[in-house]
């Protein structure tokens, strides 16, 4: 699935009960108290576990613990406070895929898997040796359909040019040769653009409608 850009690149840390108790009970009024630590310290007891800290908060905690260790007899280490914390890494948002596109991709993948399976197993027994796609008749039939579609495209463009070059003059009277040529080119281009869409759609449908022969059930048990 397509991924969006990461909006928040900060690593979040979910504190444990031990770290929460240290922040609430041992951290008194300190200078430059980080916002997240102050929010955790002043929040309700039931909401403290939902508060998240950042790496900058941990760096401040480390500095605070070092200062407390130098000025008091308490031996608190930052690695002990961080034991068991959950680290939440930044993740990109996942954009859901279009359901119609997803269904089409699954259909094409199933058809491709069926063709690959038939190609691998066609030499196992007589039932699988002759796949319709491998016969000359099938290839000729498919080629004829595609040639007819291309011929229709060419004739349509030629008819559009003939209408602009000759037909308009028959309707409105004598026109300049250059103007008639311009009308013919414009009409043929317009028809060509429309016919290209339908031609591509027709060739795509022919590819999707290629029959995939189902594998017959085995008459014996291996």
């Amino acid at each position: 699935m397509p991924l969006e850009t990461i909006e928040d690149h900060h690593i979040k840390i979910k504190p444990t009960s031990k770290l929460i108790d240290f922040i609430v009970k041992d951290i008194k009024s300190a200078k430059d108290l980080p916002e997240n630590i102050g929010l955790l310290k002043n929040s309700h007891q039931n909401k403290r576990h939902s508060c998240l800290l950042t790496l900058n908060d941990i760096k401040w905690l480390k500095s605070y613990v070092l200062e407390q260790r130098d000025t008091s007899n308490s031996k608190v280490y930052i690695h002990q406070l961080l034991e068991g914390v959950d680290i939440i890494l930044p993740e990109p948002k996942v954009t859901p895929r279009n359901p119609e596109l997803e269904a089409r991709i699954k259909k094409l993948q199933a058809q491709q898997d069926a063709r690959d399976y038939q190609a691998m197993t066609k030499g196992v027994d007589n039932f699988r040796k002759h796949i319709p796609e491998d016969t000359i008749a099938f290839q000729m039939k498919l080629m004829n359909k595609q040639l007819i579609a291309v011929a229709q495209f060419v004739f349509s463009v030629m008819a559009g040019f003939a209408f602009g070059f000759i037909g308009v003059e028959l309707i409105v009277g004598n026109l300049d040769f250059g103007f008639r040529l311009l009308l013919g080119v414009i009409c043929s281009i317009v028809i060509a653009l429309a016919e290209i869409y339908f031609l591509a759609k027709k060739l795509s449908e022919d590819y999707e409608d290629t029959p995939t022969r189902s594998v017959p059930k085995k008459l014996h048990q291996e």
Side-chain angles (χ1 to χ4, degrees), residues 11 35 60 66 76 86 118 133 142 155 216:
I11 297 176
E35 181 182 355
W60 185 90
L66 291 175
V76 180
D86 294 330
Q118 290 171 357
E133 292 90 328
L142 184 61
F155 289 138

Side-chain angles (χ1 to χ4, degrees), residues 138-202:
F138 176 83
Q139 298 295 336
M140 292 297 296
K141 182 179 179 181
L142 184 61
M143 187 183 300
N144 289 337
K145 290 175 64 177
Q146 294 177 352
L147 288 176
I148 291 173
V150 173
Q152 289 177 347
F153 169 78
V154 174
F155 289 138
S156 299
V157 174
M158 292 175 61
F161 179 81
F163 172 77
F165 186 74
I166 301 174
V168 176
E169 185 182 27
L170 296 176
I171 297 173
V172 301
N174 293 330
L175 295 173
D176 183 66
F177 176 81
F179 184 70
R180 289 163 52 201
L181 184 62
L182 179 62
L183 285 177
V185 172
I186 292 175
C187 292
S188 61
I189 290 176
V190 172
I191 294 176
L193 292 176
E195 286 292 333
I196 286 175
Y197 168 77
F198 292 107
L199 178 62
K201 187 176 180 181
K202 175 64 177 175

Side-chain angles (χ1 to χ4, degrees), residues 12-215:
K12 301 298 178 61
I13 297 172
K14 188 175 182 180
T16 58
S17 300
K18 183 178 180 180
L19 181 56
I20 292 175
D21 292 340
F22 175 81
I23 293 175
V24 173
K25 297 178 182 179
D26 295 350
I27 295 181
K28 308 301 180 183
S29 58
K31 296 180 180 179
D32 301 329
L33 186 67
E35 181 182 355
N36 293 326
I37 294 179
L39 181 64
L40 189 150
K41 184 177 177 63
N42 299 323
S43 61
H44 192 268
Q45 185 177 359
N46 297 332
K47 297 182 178 179
R48 287 171 183 169
H49 286 279
S50 61
C51 296
L52 300 177
L53 304 178
T54 62
L55 292 179
N56 292 330
D57 300 329
I58 301 301
K59 290 179 181 178
W60 185 90
L61 275 175
K62 179 182 178 182
S63 302
Y64 181 83
V65 168
L66 291 175
E67 291 178 2
Q68 289 297 106
R69 232 177 24 232
D70 295 337
T71 57
S72 64
N73 296 327
S74 62
K75 298 296 181 182
V76 180
Y77 297 91
I78 188 66
H79 71 273
Q80 295 175 343
L81 297 176
L82 296 179
E83 245 178 60
V85 297
D86 294 330
I87 298 177
I88 303 174
L89 299 177
E91 295 181 357
K93 294 182 179 179
V94 178
T95 304
R97 205 179 252 173
N98 190 325
E100 296 181 0
L101 177 61
E102 188 71 22
R104 180 178 175 83
I105 292 176
K106 290 182 178 179
K107 179 182 177 182
L108 294 176
Q109 184 64 41
Q111 291 177 351
Q112 184 61 41
D113 292 341
R115 282 191 289 269
D116 293 341
Y117 178 78
Q118 290 171 357
M120 288 189 299
T121 59
K122 66 179 181 179
V124 175
D125 53 45
N126 293 330
F127 291 103
R128 301 177 186 174
K129 283 184 179 179
H130 302 290
I131 300 177
E133 292 90 328
D134 294 340
T135 61
I136 298 178
F138 176 83
Q139 298 295 336
M140 292 297 296
K141 182 179 179 181
L142 184 61
M143 187 183 300
N144 289 337
K145 290 175 64 177
Q146 294 177 352
L147 288 176
I148 291 173
V150 173
Q152 289 177 347
F153 169 78
V154 174
F155 289 138
S156 299
V157 174
M158 292 175 61
F161 179 81
F163 172 77
F165 186 74
I166 301 174
V168 176
E169 185 182 27
L170 296 176
I171 297 173
V172 301
N174 293 330
L175 295 173
D176 183 66
F177 176 81
F179 184 70
R180 289 163 52 201
L181 184 62
L182 179 62
L183 285 177
V185 172
I186 292 175
C187 292
S188 61
I189 290 176
V190 172
I191 294 176
L193 292 176
E195 286 292 333
I196 286 175
Y197 168 77
F198 292 107
L199 178 62
K201 187 176 180 181
K202 175 64 177 175
L203 296 179
S204 176
E205 290 176 353
D206 290 342
Y207 175 78
E208 291 181 4
D209 294 339
T210 302
T212 54
R213 184 179 176 185
S214 59
V215 179

